[in-house]
Structure formats: structure tokens, C-alpha cells
Amino acid sequence: MPRRILYLSGTRADFGLMRQTLHAAAAHPGLEVAVAVTGMHLHPDYGHTVDDIAASGLRIAARIPSDVGARDGAGMTRAISQTLAGLVPVLQAERPDALLLLGDRGEMLAGAIAALHLGVPSIHLHGGERSGTVDEPVRHAISKLAALHFCATTQSRERLIAMGEDPHRVHVVGAPGLDDLSAVRQFPREAALRALQAALARQAPLPTPPHVWGGGNDVAPPPPVGEAGRGSLAERPYALVLFHPVVQEADDAAAQTQALLDGLRAAGAGSAFSVVWLAPNADAGSGHIEALLRAQRWPGFHRITHLPRADYLAALRHAAVLAGNSSSGIIEAASLGTRVVNVGSRQNLRERNANTVDVPPQAEAIEAAVRQALALGPWPHPEQNVYGDGQSAARIAHLLATLPLSVPHGRSEEMDTLSGGDAQSASGGRPPSTDLLHKINRY
């Protein structure tokens, strides 16, 4: 009987990173895969990206609404509680053999909590990494609740073991987001530009109630999305920009975004190069970022709400530089030969490739780093990436199908291997209640 794997997805980013892996798992004869969808996927302001999941052919097990419109800490907290409450009946109905979780977002923490209390082993990808922001304790909390770990690097594995995780349960698989890059390397610039222009053309101005962007009743609606179809993307290089708020620095999000805008303009944005700026996530402070972006009306500035994963990677491949604080700058950009100006603290302490330059959110520092990246040209060592070799999907699918999912407290890995690692079968597909006692009793 195939193992049933449920993946929890809350953002365009996590699904894009996992898409290749989920398809590899779904194609494995020993696995069945479904996706529980929540968060930004279900909101039109973020592109209603649940449609991308449906189009992928993967089965959607449930749609769990959550509060992503508030864009503040209280809304983030409500979203975690809503995801937790909404996931409980899904886990009870689906009875998965494992819940797959990625990264450090609140919906993943909700999934780990629900799974632990319902006796469903959770498997955490990208655990053991640092960031120096609120994301790091959330990531580590998910790891402490998880039964198994598929980490990206050896350093991450060592950190998880130092945190007390059983070495037999921690596996280095590489970053799944690298698996779909080989085809993108051959994608011509003209095709990438066509995809960007198509995204701009189909993007209508969104309704913008003042409360969504943090304004009062006297705040006029933001101007329409700026400067599409002027031809500047084809005529000159472009900088790709993706800047998310840091939750602890939410009150500074506007000032940090303004510094990034000023640094880009001082480096030549609008004259020497264009800017393609993608909308931020829904975290606290994002409303301030959106308000500034929607106020930009200068030629050469292009704001896009959402790009499908393939189009985003093509845009990243042909960008003169990626600026901001996206994890794609830390992980994927090096393999595509793109230089990165990483701004602020969001990716602090994460392992880096040498294509990345770190700067504070100050206009002068940003200007200098962008100018340097443009002068140096493409990163010449795309074959070198500390996050792996682009072969994670096959490794993950194999581990999902073969690893013992049940190791009751006091039993050894060898005992479960001898018994076929199929302790769930005796309980009708549910792991036995002792499955995760090693997490409760050891620490």
C-alpha cells in the first residue's frame, strides 16, 4: 500500500521550491501525494496562486483560509491559529503517513503542532539554517516538533544534531529549489522578457481599501501599477527586486524600502537599467512596502504581483542583479549566474555563495553594491553552490518511500528496518501513539 504524503503549502515561494520534488514523489510507485493549501495562495491580492497548484495536476486535499490581509503581527498570529484549527480535520480525514513541511513560516509551525498532537510524523525540509530574525526560532521550533529532517547542507545537519536531534533522523538532501534550474539556464533572454511583459499586461490595478495598506480614511487610493509596456525592459538591463519585511523591524519597512529605492535610483535605475519589483509577502510591515511601490510612477519601474515559478527563474537568470532580501538570492541565484545585493537582516547568518554581497538598508551602501554588481557582470561559477547539485527530488522521493516513519521510544532504527519500517500498517494507516515519544521524552 503506498504511503500517503501530505504537503502543507502557504505561499507561491514554498510551492515553487517543492513542485519538482512533489511531482517526483507522486510518480514514485510507493507514494501518494496531496497538498493542503492555505495562506497567500487563496487571496487574490497575491495572485490566487492556488490556481498554479491545481494546474500542476497534484491533488488538493483541502483549502484552509487564513488572515493574510491584515499585514501585521496580530494578523500573522491569527493566521497561525486559523491554519492550526483548519488543518486538524484535514489530517483526521486524510490520515496521511507523514506531513511534509518546508522552511520557517507560521503555517508550517501550525502544521507541525497539529501533526504532533494527532500522531502524524512531520518531515521538515531546510531545518537547521540560521537567519538572525524571527524566522530562525520558528524554523528551529518546527525542527523540534518534527520526526525526520531533510536538510540542505552538512552544516545544517550538524546544527540540528547539536540541537539534540537523533543523527539517524537527519538527512542531507540539498535544496529542492535547485532541481528545476537546468532548463532555465537555456532559456533565452527574449523569452524571459516576453513573460515579464505578459505579466505586466494581464495585471489590472487591484482594489486597495485604505486599511489594507495601513492608511486612514483620508488616504487616497494608490496610483495604478506603473509603467508597463514602454519597451525599456528590452532596451536595457534590468534589476530584479524582491524585498520582504522583517517582522521585528516592521515599523522600519517603509524607511528600508525607500532606502532601497533611493539606492537603485542613484545607481542608475530608470536610465542605465530598469527595475522589475515583485510584491512582498503578507508579513507585518508589507503594507508599508506596497504603499511605496504603488506610488512609483517613473519610467523603467515595473511592479508585478506574481510570477509563476518558471517565469520568475527566467527573470532571475537574465537579471543584471537581484536586489532585496529573498532566499532565492541566497540559494538559487548562484546556480543561474546572477549576482545578488542582499539588503538588511532577513537573511543574516545563512550560508552564502560568493555571488552575494551583504549591505545594510542604506541608500549609499546599496548604490555602491549595485554599481559593483553591474560592473562585474554575471557570476562566473554557476556550477558551485553550497546548497546542492540540483538532484534533491529523487533523494527525497526515495527517502519518503523507504525510511522508517515509526521509531517508538526505546526501539532502535535497526529493529524498525528489520520489521520493514511499516509500523503504521497495524494501526490502519495511523502511526502508533508511541511514534513520536522520542521527541517528548528525550528533551
Side-chain angles (χ1 to χ4, degrees), residues 72-94:
D72 58 19
M76 293 175 70
T77 306
R78 286 192 297 271
I80 292 172
S81 68
Q82 290 159 351
T83 305
L84 176 56
L87 189 59
V88 169
V90 177
L91 291 173
Q92 290 175 319
E94 290 287 318

Side-chain angles (χ1 to χ4, degrees), residues 53-296:
I53 301 176
S56 75
L58 295 166
R59 182 173 71 86
I60 296 177
R63 304 181 186 214
I64 306 169
S66 64
D67 184 358
V68 295
R71 296 175 181 263
D72 58 19
M76 293 175 70
T77 306
R78 286 192 297 271
I80 292 172
S81 68
Q82 290 159 351
T83 305
L84 176 56
L87 189 59
V88 169
V90 177
L91 291 173
Q92 290 175 319
E94 290 287 318
R95 299 165 67 88
D97 294 301
L99 178 67
L100 203 56
L101 304 168
L102 173 81
D104 57 14
R105 291 193 57 81
E107 56 266 21
M108 303 297 174
L109 177 59
I113 294 170
L116 182 69
H117 286 82
L118 292 174
V120 177
S122 59
I123 302 173
H124 188 205
L125 292 100
H126 274 288
E129 297 175 19
R130 305 217 44 201
S131 64
T133 68
V134 70
D135 297 340
E136 183 176 328
V138 172
R139 187 188 301 269
H140 294 335
I142 297 168
S143 291
K144 299 307 293 184
L145 296 168
L148 291 166
H149 309 275
F150 296 167
C151 52
T153 69
T154 300
Q155 188 179 113
S156 298
R157 181 179 189 270
E158 292 171 351
R159 185 171 293 113
L160 284 168
I161 293 170
M163 289 167 55
E165 296 305 294
D166 184 341
H168 291 97
R169 294 172 171 270
V170 187
H171 304 269
V172 178
V173 298
L178 299 181
D179 280 34
D180 54 355
L181 301 189
S182 56
V184 176
R185 295 189 188 100
Q186 312 305 318
F187 209 65
R189 185 174 190 271
E190 293 73 19
L193 293 177
R194 285 196 299 271
L196 289 173
Q197 293 287 9
L200 289 164
R202 65 176 174 260
Q203 183 167 277
L206 297 171
T208 52
H211 72 276
V212 172
W213 312 114
N217 292 330
D218 58 341
V219 177
V225 172
E227 305 304 328
R230 293 277 181 102
S232 58
L233 283 176
E235 294 166 3
R236 55 196 178 202
Y238 63 87
L240 188 62
V241 186
L242 186 51
F243 188 70
H244 300 295
V246 175
V247 174
Q248 308 99 302
E249 304 168 9
D251 291 342
D252 300 325
Q256 293 174 356
T257 304
Q258 189 62 61
L260 181 49
L261 282 164
D262 292 345
L264 289 166
R265 293 304 299 271
S271 55
F273 61 92
S274 299
V275 169
V276 176
W277 197 311
L278 271 67
N281 62 28
D283 288 353
S286 60
H288 301 301
I289 297 175
E290 275 289 342
L292 271 173
L293 297 186
R294 288 170 173 265
Q296 306 305 307

